[in-house]
Amino acid sequence: MNSIFVNSKDVFLDIVNAKDYIQLDRVSTIYQALKNSIKKPLKMILLYGKPGTGKSMFLNKLHKDLSSSQKVYLYQTPILDESEFYKTLAQDLFETKYSGELNFTQFMKIVKSQDNEEIPVVLLDEAQLYSEVLMEKIRLLSDTRTVKFVITLHKTEKEDIIAKEHFQTRIWETIELENASSGELKIYIQKKLMKANCFDSANMFTNKSVNKIHKITNGNYRDTNKLLYTLFDLYAAYERNQQLSSVKTDQVSNKLIEMSAIHTGLIHA
Amino acid sequence: MLNIVDLEKRWFIYKLKSYIPHLSILISLIVIISIFLAFSRASQDISQLTITPTVAPIIVKKETLPVKEPVQATPKAVVKIEPVEVLKQEPQLLHDNNRVKLSPSLGFMRKMQGSVQPYYKNDLEYKGQVQEQAPAPITEVVEQEVIVPLSTLEAEPEVKKISIKRQNTQNDIYEIIARFKKNNNPALSLFVAKKYYELEDYQQAYNYALITNKINKEIESSWIIFTKSLVKLGKRDKAITTLEQYIKQSHSSGARILLDEIYAGKFK
Ligand SMILES: Nc1ncnc2c1ncn2[C@@H]1O[C@H](COP(=O)(O)OP(=O)(O)OP(=O)(O)O)[C@@H](O)[C@H]1O
Ligand SMILES: [Mg+2]
């Protein structure tokens, strides 16, 4: 059985894959800005935002787009060990294999020996997991302007103030990713569904129902994914039980939205 | 599998609960209105009594002499004027209330401006360097360009500020695990595996490397942590067969080096 609801459900699996990237006006402005500043001799670019605002997605997309035209490397998991970090960079960026320990001074030598006609771009996700010591070295490294770093920082409410303080000093170029507005959320949902050829379910999302969803998820992409995954799971279950006639299908049923929100814990009942 | 019946029940209770505030507002509104009606009826009675004396003096002014008596003759009226004044004050209070209500809505506007600013700021920063934009943000941009090279010394404490929240202790692993449960990001589970390995909790390192591997089979370091933990747990043979299999399909040089080290007994 190939239910449209089952297909639509899978659209909202929480997976970060550049090919699923949705172009949103605000995001693409930031994206363009980021691409431009990568060309500039600025040192480090900091991308931050609350959980689920699309930082990893953004970085993946950037990696995919840039890789055809320049040297760009994405590290989704922080490399904890300092020596391992330098070794990995030396190997990936400068094709220099190194067995045994590699320290900062040695690595700097390798970096400086390069005739840098093209500055490699290193993308580091989850940068808050790097140790303080290593982060400082990364900063020193980017000061040499021989490697450019784009790092993402996961920001929680608590860290908000720190992020803002940091924002003001402007040592780095900083970009904040935010939750979607209601209008953006509609585009996000519909484009996502249409990409998977789920046109009928895309049409179910009227302004009213998107507003309802936005109220529950605050426009957070991850929470929206979770909610809609459950929503279509519910629709599929009603369909299996042949109870589809008891719920709205021409547009998303408010009742089912609320039930999904209860199930996912986005509203407490 | 979703339990529709149970979920519908929970939803029904939720709906009922969500009507409680509406209901209580409605009830309190009814109460307020009935009190107000009762009160205004009472004050009407008072004003009916007081209207005559208050109107009277105006007429009096024209005829001065004859009416002086009734005014003085009704000391009750003077007393009763007070409730009228009280009534007059109430609308004034209401006005004040209205004024107070305005200020939070202005605050809200300000908040909105504040929250929008960072985004537009970004926007302008980039554009500002190419085209000419509104004057205020440009000076900021110029400042920024000047400050950046000069402030390398200031940079150090700033970086430290950020790192206050950086996770280092074992307790913080739990925070990362909690986040992993939310976003299922293999980067996080791999991080946890590595952290446990560092802390010499090889069983947990093994577990999280395995979890990572289930999400994404292509991360070299998850294989490496996985087999390293196996060796540490005394399962050298299993580590070797796993590595050999992995090398066959991935040609990973990191795995090759580790395998050689295990064979040579350098890693144990
Ligand atoms: N522009 C986009 N196009 C398509 N999907 C997106 C986009 N932005 C976000 N998403 C979806 O939202 C989900 C969460 O995004 P992502 O994992 O990038 O958030 P994050 O900011 O990295 O969160 P965390 O701080 O927890 O790491 C992703 O699984 C992805 O499906
Ligand atoms: Mg992320």
Side-chain angles (χ1 to χ4, degrees):
Chain A
M1 191 180 68
N2 215 357
S3 156
I4 143 177
F5 298 122
V6 174
N7 292 343
S8 308
K9 179 183 90 174
D10 293 341
V11 169
F12 294 101
L13 280 167
D14 201 53
I15 299 170
V16 175
N17 189 337
K19 79 169 173 33
D20 301 329
Y21 185 83
I22 303 287
Q23 198 87 36
L24 293 159
D25 278 352
R26 168 155 47 165
V27 179
S28 63
T29 316
I30 297 176
Y31 185 78
Q32 215 42 54
L34 187 57
K35 268 177 122 177
N36 289 341
S37 53
I38 277 184
K39 288 188 202 129
K40 284 186 284 181
L42 268 166
K43 302 171 198 170
M44 203 186 290
I45 298 160
L46 171 70
L47 199 65
Y48 73 103
K50 290 194 187 110
T53 43
K55 299 181 294 292
S56 300
M57 192 58 157
F58 201 87
L59 218 55
N60 271 48
K61 169 76 173 156
L62 196 66
H63 180 248
K64 190 182 163 220
D65 288 358
L66 294 181
S67 54
S68 56
S69 61
Q70 71 183 97
K71 282 181 160 188
V72 57
Y73 307 90
L74 170 64
Y75 300 99
Q76 284 168 297
T77 317
I79 304 164
L80 283 183
D81 182 70
E82 243 190 278
S83 169
E84 197 190 323
F85 181 75
Y86 303 136
K87 270 158 76 176
T88 312
L89 287 197
Q91 187 173 331
D92 293 353
L93 274 60
F94 311 120
E95 280 133 22
T96 315
K97 263 207 186 137
Y98 224 90
S99 56
E101 294 281 296
L102 183 61
N103 65 31
F104 186 63
T105 335
Q106 289 165 319
F107 180 65
M108 276 303 227
K109 261 187 211 152
I110 300 176
V111 171
K112 280 178 183 151
S113 67
Q114 305 290 321
D115 45 345
N116 42 359
E117 83 259 6
E118 190 199 339
I119 297 176
V121 179
V122 174
L123 313 173
L124 305 176
D125 201 1
E126 301 283 352
Q128 77 284 350
L129 297 178
Y130 284 91
S131 73
E132 200 174 317
V133 179
L134 194 48
M135 212 52 227
E136 180 58 18
K137 301 281 166 59
I138 290 171
R139 198 187 61 77
L140 288 173
L141 199 56
S142 55
D143 277 351
T144 66
R145 290 165 204 255
T146 41
V147 184
K148 188 182 290 284
F149 286 93
V150 179
I151 70 171
T152 76
L153 201 69
H154 158 88
K155 183 192 82 174
T156 61
E157 292 300 349
K158 265 190 284 173
E159 288 154 356
D160 204 12
I161 305 142
I162 298 161
K164 282 221 181 92
E165 266 173 32
H166 193 85
F167 199 69
Q168 281 157 7
T169 62
R170 292 156 171 172
I171 287 154
W172 298 340
E173 180 120 34
T174 49
I175 296 169
E176 181 172 11
L177 285 184
E178 285 172 61
N179 285 343
S181 68
S182 193
E184 287 165 337
L185 201 64
K186 187 175 175 188
I187 297 169
Y188 171 76
I189 294 169
Q190 293 194 328
K191 276 196 180 173
K192 233 177 160 150
L193 283 165
M194 288 195 294
K195 254 191 168 176
N197 291 330
C198 301
F199 300 103
D200 292 331
S201 25
N203 276 331
M204 287 165 74
F205 290 87
T206 59
N207 283 345
K208 235 176 102 192
S209 36
V210 174
N211 279 344
K212 173 114 196 146
I213 293 165
H214 190 265
K215 240 188 213 159
I216 293 169
T217 65
N218 254 320
N220 186 282
Y221 295 107
R222 180 169 299 126
D223 288 344
T224 304
N225 281 355
K226 269 188 195 162
L227 184 78
L228 295 188
Y229 180 88
T230 313
L231 179 80
F232 283 114
D233 207 8
L234 273 176
Y235 266 114
Y238 276 98
E239 190 181 37
R240 261 197 312 277
N241 299 353
Q242 266 135 26
Q243 291 176 328
L244 214 50
S245 53
S246 69
V247 289
K248 248 193 194 165
T249 49
D250 56 330
Q251 74 177 68
V252 182
S253 144
N254 266 354
K255 176 184 165 187
L256 260 60
I257 293 178
E258 282 164 355
M259 277 166 71
S260 315
I262 291 168
H263 181 77
T264 49
L266 286 168
I267 52 180
H268 302 284
Chain B
M1 190 91 292
L2 286 171
N3 184 346
I4 294 187
V5 181
D6 175 57
L7 208 49
E8 275 188 332
K9 232 184 255 164
R10 281 170 72 193
W11 174 79
F12 188 71
I13 295 168
Y14 163 76
K15 269 290 165 198
L16 275 184
K17 273 190 198 158
S18 70
Y19 285 127
I20 291 175
H22 294 282
L23 243 131
S24 55
I25 287 171
L26 199 74
I27 292 171
S28 46
L29 255 169
I30 292 170
V31 172
I32 289 168
I33 288 170
S34 52
I35 289 173
F36 182 77
L37 280 177
F39 183 74
S40 61
R41 206 170 288 162
S43 60
Q44 246 177 21
D45 294 345
I46 295 167
S47 53
Q48 268 169 6
L49 282 172
T50 48
I51 274 171
T52 30
T54 43
V55 175
I58 301 168
I59 309 160
V60 170
K61 274 180 187 170
K62 288 176 185 169
E63 298 173 46
T64 31
L65 281 171
V67 197
K68 256 184 187 174
E69 275 174 57
V71 176
Q72 284 169 333
T74 50
K76 277 178 205 166
V78 181
V79 183
K80 276 170 191 166
I81 280 167
E82 277 172 357
V84 176
E85 277 179 299
V86 171
L87 275 174
K88 267 184 191 165
Q89 267 179 345
E90 271 187 27
Q92 272 179 344
L93 273 173
L94 276 173
H95 275 296
D96 281 345
N97 276 343
N98 281 342
R99 257 173 232 155
V100 176
K101 265 177 203 161
L102 265 175
S103 60
S105 73
L106 275 173
F108 170 70
M109 293 271 285
R110 248 175 259 133
K111 257 189 208 165
M112 285 214 350
Q113 281 177 335
S115 69
V116 171
Q117 254 171 7
Y119 165 58
Y120 283 113
K121 226 189 243 170
N122 267 331
D123 203 357
L124 285 171
E125 273 172 17
Y126 305 116
K127 284 183 187 157
Q129 279 150 9
V130 190
Q131 313 153 2
E132 284 200 349
Q133 289 280 329
I138 272 192
T139 50
E140 277 181 11
V141 172
V142 174
E143 264 173 30
Q144 186 191 0
E145 287 287 273
V146 180
I147 285 170
V148 170
L150 286 177
S151 59
T152 33
L153 279 173
E154 285 169 42
E156 285 177 44
E158 275 315 311
V159 170
K160 269 167 200 154
K161 251 182 209 164
I162 262 206
S163 56
I164 294 168
K165 295 286 167 188
R166 211 162 277 135
Q167 284 89 1
N168 281 318
T169 64
Q170 185 162 17
N171 269 347
D172 295 320
I173 289 184
Y174 297 123
E175 208 183 301
I176 300 164
I177 292 174
R179 271 193 64 212
F180 168 69
K181 282 182 181 154
K182 267 195 192 150
N183 69 11
N184 232 18
N185 180 351
L188 294 181
S189 50
L190 182 55
F191 182 85
V192 173
K194 285 179 177 176
K195 265 285 169 207
Y196 273 126
Y197 189 87
E198 265 188 11
L199 296 165
E200 298 178 5
D201 187 342
Y202 302 118
Q203 188 57 53
Q204 284 290 48
Y206 170 92
N207 289 341
Y208 277 93
L210 195 63
I211 291 172
T212 310
N213 204 260
K214 274 186 189 150
I215 302 170
N216 186 346
K217 282 197 175 43
E218 268 136 56
I219 308 172
E220 182 191 60
S221 36
S222 85
W223 287 91
I224 289 180
I225 287 288
F226 180 74
T227 42
K228 272 185 170 177
S229 308
L230 271 175
V231 174
K232 293 285 185 194
L233 291 167
K235 292 172 184 158
R236 186 173 174 267
D237 293 342
K238 199 178 172 203
I240 289 173
T241 47
T242 311
L243 269 181
E244 277 170 348
Q245 269 174 8
Y246 175 60
I247 291 166
K248 233 186 253 170
Q249 45 156 314
S250 72
H251 310 287
S252 144
S253 58
R256 184 79 254 170
I257 293 169
L258 178 63
L259 185 63
D260 290 344
E261 281 178 357
I262 295 174
Y263 275 139
K266 263 199 234 163
F267 183 85
K268 48 189 175 196

